[in-house]
Amino acid sequence: MKPAAFEYARPRSLDEALDLLAEHGDDATPLAGGQSLVPMMNLRLAQPTMVVDLNDLAELAYVERRDGQLAVGALARQRDVERSPECRQLCPVMAEALRFVGTPQTRNRGTIGGNLAHADPTSELPAVVAACGGEVVLAGRRGTRQLAAADFFAGPHMTAREPDELVVEVRVPAFAPGTGWAFEELAWSFTAHPIVAAAAVADAAGVRVAVSGVAGSPLVAGPDDDLAAVADDFRRSAAGDLIRRTAKRATARAA
């Protein structure tokens, strides 16, 4: 199929992009890497009347250390973040998880901000952000705001982003010396969407494990938590196994 008719704009700055979103509201959809949006438009599961192409916003394509955090711009390509020395040093669990996102070809186009804004309940990156205690930064004409994962992800393909806002950055605390981590997922194939995935971080505060695929948004759980209320038997069993394994591996790395 082909997408429904739509208008197209390609702003040259963040200010211009925010003006377009404020003007068109619910009728506008931001386009970043397009790895999820374009197929949805072709199937007419998404029918925006205005597509705001963000790919000229080079100001949002960065990976850097800032104030004791790893800061990643929304337009940073997944492949660039995966291979970034800053990411591998400051948040190695993110670099590891990105290896499981799609294929190298799709990661060359897919963006960090687009992945988080899409909010696929089985996606790897939301679980990583939740496990790391990170936050998503939103910008709009009314200013910026920072939301923890629990406040940003609102359900399957739903977030707290308002129609006139953009995801502009994700921030995670830089790993302190002695921090352990692990990431694992269960999928039908290496390139398929995961059935369940788990990211674990072990530090002086304890072990935090976030799992995707068992609820509408990332679930922070422990090895002994009962997942019966949020997952079927197969997913519950698989998630429980991944939680225990990643927690054990992260703790061993921390030691």
Side-chain angles (χ1 to χ4, degrees):
M1 294 181 66
K2 297 295 183 182
F6 60 89
E7 295 183 77
Y8 173 85
R10 189 167 176 129
R12 296 299 182 92
S13 68
L14 176 59
D15 283 342
E16 186 182 350
L18 295 179
D19 285 342
L20 285 165
L21 293 180
E23 176 184 353
H24 293 277
D26 287 328
D27 294 329
T29 294
L31 170 68
Q35 301 305 291
S36 299
L37 177 62
V38 171
M40 291 177 67
M41 290 176 62
N42 285 338
L43 293 172
R44 303 205 175 188
L45 297 174
Q47 298 188 43
T49 58
M50 165 62 77
V51 172
V52 180
D53 188 339
L54 307 176
N55 280 278
D56 281 342
L57 305 190
E59 62 200 278
L60 296 182
Y62 55 84
V63 185
E64 62 187 35
R65 178 195 285 267
R66 188 194 312 141
D67 300 326
Q69 296 179 313
L70 174 69
V72 182
L75 267 290
R77 305 295 171 179
Q78 295 162 5
R79 185 70 166 154
D80 291 337
V81 179
E82 173 194 352
R83 301 167 76 176
S84 161
E86 290 82 4
C87 183
R88 292 184 176 186
Q89 177 187 6
L90 303 177
C91 188
V93 70
M94 180 180 292
E96 175 70 10
L98 280 166
R99 293 179 55 246
F100 294 85
V101 177
T103 67
Q105 291 87 349
T106 62
R107 294 198 296 276
N108 280 332
R109 287 295 304 167
T111 64
I112 297 297
N115 181 285
L116 296 174
H118 186 55
D120 188 319
T122 68
S123 185
E124 296 90 347
L125 282 181
V128 169
V129 175
C132 291
E135 60 185 16
V136 178
V137 183
L138 298 165
R141 276 286 161 245
R142 293 164 291 173
T144 62
R145 56 192 181 121
Q146 301 83 39
L147 297 178
D151 299 318
F152 177 72
F153 298 107
H157 303 288
M158 298 172 60
T159 72
R161 184 185 76 86
E162 297 292 342
D164 62 344
E165 291 181 313
L166 279 177
V167 174
V168 292
E169 186 176 85
V170 59
R171 301 170 182 165
V172 296
F175 281 20
T179 299
W181 56 272
F183 179 86
E184 292 191 32
E185 70 176 42
L186 174 66
W188 297 117
S189 72
F190 190 77
T191 58
H193 280 290
I195 300 168
V196 291
V201 177
D203 56 22
V207 183
R208 297 180 304 281
V209 184
V211 60
S212 64
V214 297
S217 54
L219 179 70
V220 178
D224 299 321
D225 286 349
D226 183 6
L227 304 179
V230 293
D232 59 39
D233 288 341
F234 176 72
R235 288 179 184 268
R236 182 171 70 250
S237 175
D241 185 45
L242 288 189
I243 290 169
R244 288 186 290 271
R245 282 161 46 186
T246 54
K248 183 177 180 179
R249 288 179 56 214
T251 302
R253 272 188 169 137

